[in-house]
Structures are given as C-alpha cells and as structure tokens.
Amino acid sequence: MKKILQDNRQFVDARGFEPFAATKFPKRKIAVVTCMDTRLVTLLPAALGIANGDVTMIKTAGGLVTSRYSDSMRSILVSIYELGVEKVMLIAHSHCGVEGLKWSHFKELMIERGIQEKTIDEIMESGTDLEFWLTGFEDTAKAVRESVALVSSHPLMPAGIEVKGFIIDTHTAALHEVC
C-alpha cells in the first residue's frame, strides 16, 4: 500500500486528476455491472469507448446480480433514481474465476486461512446461506440471463429502463449480447 500512497501523492502533485474531471451524473445514462476481475479494469472501458464520467460502474465478483436485495441491485437502483440512469448493462466475461466456484472449495480455503468451522456453522444457523452466497455459476450465458431477469423484474424497477446482458471475451475484448 505504501507504493500506492506514493503514486497518489505524485499524481495529485502533478495535477493528474484534471483530465478526469466529471460530474456524478453519467453522461450516457448507463449503469454497467461487471466483474471485479483485474483484466477488465482498463480493458472494458477501452473496449466500450467509455471515458470517466460516461457511466456508473458497479463491480462485483462475477459481474452478476444474484439476489434481489444485494448491494449490486442497490447500486443499480441508486444509479437510476439518483443519477438519472436509463439503461443497465450486465457484462460478465470469459474465463471468470467465479465460474465453477464451489462452496465446498471456498469453505476449505476459509478453514485453511484460520476461519473456525464453528464460526461458519453459526453463520449458517443464523439464517445466512453461505452455500448460496459463496457459490459461482456453471454457465456464464445462463447466469447473465438470470441476472437480467432478476434486475428487469425487480419490484422497485421503474418502467422504461432497458436492461441487457453481455459477455466480453477477455482475450479479444469482443462483446457478445446474451439477452
């Protein structure tokens, strides 16, 4: 983190922020929900011609909305109601680390890192379904369709909001519309 703080000081001192000036309102009136994958940090905006200030960018593991009242769904609704967004793009990607992620594997990793099985059991007994929450998907296109359906049919989604799903290829940056 020390290097990041040094880089930030240099950036600020050099007034590197000036080319990025924008308002909080997305010029293109689009919210993009995508994966937190490191390969997409620069690739996705470049591939879509997105500049700072053009869209709201919502990042999550897998780039999908898996629950009606998740933080990603909350961010979409804030984008619509507070920031004037009229379109939502859900963009998953090829070779995603969440694809094929299994709860059993995730649980093993937690235990290896010192999380007590008792703690996991207590969380599960309290009503939090960790098995659902920390499981990936098997079919990216199917997961995108399910996310689009969940967002489109949300009870707080106003009429007229366009919701589309895509998969971007992490090697070629080609964007394929799923639904």
Side-chain angles (χ1 to χ4, degrees):
M1 272 198 258
K2 194 178 215 178
K3 171 79 168 107
I4 287 176
L5 293 172
Q6 290 171 343
D7 290 347
N8 176 253
R9 277 191 291 278
Q10 289 175 352
F11 183 81
V12 171
D13 290 346
R15 303 190 61 81
F17 55 87
E18 290 176 347
F20 300 97
T23 72
K24 67 180 181 179
F25 300 99
K27 289 181 210 167
R28 295 191 185 183
K29 298 185 183 288
I30 298 172
V32 174
V33 180
T34 193
C35 189
M36 63 188 196
D37 191 291
T38 61
R39 296 169 288 183
L40 299 179
V41 171
T42 304
L43 177 66
L44 184 68
L48 302 181
I50 294 171
N52 206 51
D54 282 349
V55 304
T56 61
M57 187 76 69
I58 302 161
K59 298 247 184 179
T60 184
L64 303 169
V65 179
T66 57
S67 172
R68 187 172 268 201
Y69 297 103
S70 64
D71 283 342
S72 51
M73 189 66 224
R74 175 179 177 255
S75 296
I76 292 168
L77 292 171
V78 168
S79 294
I80 291 167
Y81 286 105
E82 288 293 319
L83 304 177
V85 160
E86 298 172 353
K87 297 176 183 178
V88 178
M89 295 178 75
L90 291 127
I91 305 176
H93 64 94
S94 62
H95 317 291
C96 183
V98 177
E99 185 175 4
L101 180 67
K102 302 278 188 233
W103 161 244
S104 57
H105 174 70
F106 210 94
K107 182 178 176 182
E108 284 176 24
L109 294 174
M110 287 190 282
I111 291 168
E112 285 175 16
R113 300 281 301 264
I115 304 300
Q116 298 296 311
E117 204 157 346
K118 178 184 173 199
T119 301
I120 294 168
D121 292 341
E122 287 171 355
I123 292 170
M124 295 285 272
E125 289 167 9
S126 75
T128 301
D129 186 354
L130 293 177
E131 188 169 353
F132 170 78
W133 191 53
L134 294 173
T135 295
F137 49 85
E138 295 302 319
D139 179 331
T140 304
K142 180 181 177 199
V144 168
R145 286 190 294 276
E146 289 170 355
S147 289
V148 167
L150 193 149
V151 172
S152 298
S153 67
H154 195 281
L156 301 177
M157 182 63 62
I161 300 297
E162 183 179 5
V163 182
K164 297 261 186 182
F166 304 86
I167 298 173
I168 189 167
D169 186 300
T170 54
H171 298 300
T172 67
L175 190 67
H176 304 283
E177 186 171 342
V178 174
C179 57

